Amino acid sequence: MAQLKEANEQLKVHDKMQKEFINVAAHELRTPIQPILSLADALRSDVTTTEGQEILDIVVRNAERLQRLAEDILDVTRIESQSFLLNKEGFCLNELLSDTIGGIKNGIGDRIHDINLVFRPEVEKVFVKADNSRIAQVISNLINNALRFTRSGIVSIIMETKGGNIIVSVKDTGSGIDPAIVPRLFTKFATKSITGTGLGLFISKSIIEAHGGKIWAENNLNENGATFTFSLPLV
């Protein structure tokens, strides 16, 4: 019995040390990223060749990818240490969706030619009381996930009210959810993508559930692709 208790204590200490290391590593990773982005932006006016601009684009895209990874790791440590805080306020969800989708369209630019990103909002404005930036993070995660698995076709963002909830769905015409992933879809590192970490869906689930909502996903019936959906209580 004493040995079991000692083993449990050692596991707790090991777990704490591991989380502290991950937290420090994520902060250290984040520190040099902003100067890289700032310097790349400053070089834009000095680089006059198309090839040079393309090289800068590659630098920026990869630095932004590292930035997202660092932020995701920090979010996971906050969630697991129960220090994940929300700043709730009332806002129009239609406008947030429209702004977030517009930002994603600008971000992908001409890199994705064969995908049509479509937003079908409610006619009436819908207001929720939530953390604006965190809900935008969930929307971005779901749309970028859909784009990652869709080579061509349509990614639709659909919004509707049902009962006392607002339902937001991201539907794509991509490869769908791998059956091997389905049982652990919203857990850490559950991914079949060579470019994704699997942290985005885990974080999204934590954000939505912290708002008293639900999130789920399923492969589309009788057509390609999958649909990821979340619900939030209306104000």
Side-chain angles (χ1 to χ4, degrees), residues 17-203:
M17 289 175 62
Q18 186 181 58
K19 287 177 180 177
E20 286 176 351
F21 171 77
I22 292 171
N23 192 43
V24 170
H27 277 290
E28 289 299 315
L29 178 64
R30 189 170 61 170
T31 301
I33 294 172
Q34 194 54 52
I36 293 172
L37 290 170
S38 298
L39 289 169
D41 187 55
L43 282 171
R44 288 284 182 195
S45 58
D46 295 327
V47 176
T48 57
T49 65
T50 302
E51 183 183 7
Q53 290 293 335
E54 289 174 352
I55 291 171
L56 282 176
D57 288 341
I58 293 169
V59 171
V60 169
R61 280 203 303 274
N62 282 281
E64 288 175 343
R65 185 176 169 189
L66 279 173
Q67 190 176 47
R68 287 192 297 271
L69 175 60
E71 293 300 331
D72 282 351
I73 292 171
L74 288 171
D75 278 344
V76 169
T77 58
R78 292 184 190 112
I79 290 165
E80 294 188 331
S81 64
Q82 298 182 337
S83 60
F84 190 76
L85 302 176
L86 298 176
N87 181 27
K88 293 185 179 181
E89 58 183 342
F91 62 88
C92 176
L93 188 59
N94 309 58
E95 293 176 2
L96 178 65
L97 279 162
S98 183
D99 290 345
T100 305
I101 293 164
I104 291 172
K105 283 184 176 180
N106 290 334
I108 60 179
D110 297 327
R111 290 185 289 120
I112 298 178
H113 300 278
D114 301 324
I115 302 175
N116 189 16
L117 195 56
V118 179
F119 176 36
R120 293 189 297 181
E122 284 265 335
V123 176
E124 298 293 330
K125 287 188 176 181
V126 174
F127 289 87
V128 295
K129 188 173 184 180
D131 188 314
N132 189 301
S133 64
R134 289 300 184 181
I135 298 302
Q137 183 180 355
V138 172
I139 295 164
S140 294
N141 281 342
L142 296 185
I143 295 175
N144 285 319
N145 188 66
L147 292 171
R148 188 178 295 122
F149 289 96
T150 306
R151 291 187 177 181
S152 63
I154 301 171
V155 173
S156 302
I157 299 88
I158 305 151
M159 175 182 164
E160 60 181 335
T161 52
K162 191 173 183 180
N165 296 303
I166 178 68
I167 313 292
V168 177
S169 297
V170 178
K171 181 179 179 181
D172 65 62
T173 56
S175 57
I177 306 166
D178 190 305
I181 292 291
V182 171
R184 53 191 184 90
L185 186 61
F186 290 97
T187 61
K188 287 183 296 182
F189 309 117
T191 182
K192 283 284 185 176
S193 169
I194 59 172
T195 59
T197 61
L199 294 177
L201 291 179
F202 171 77
I203 294 167

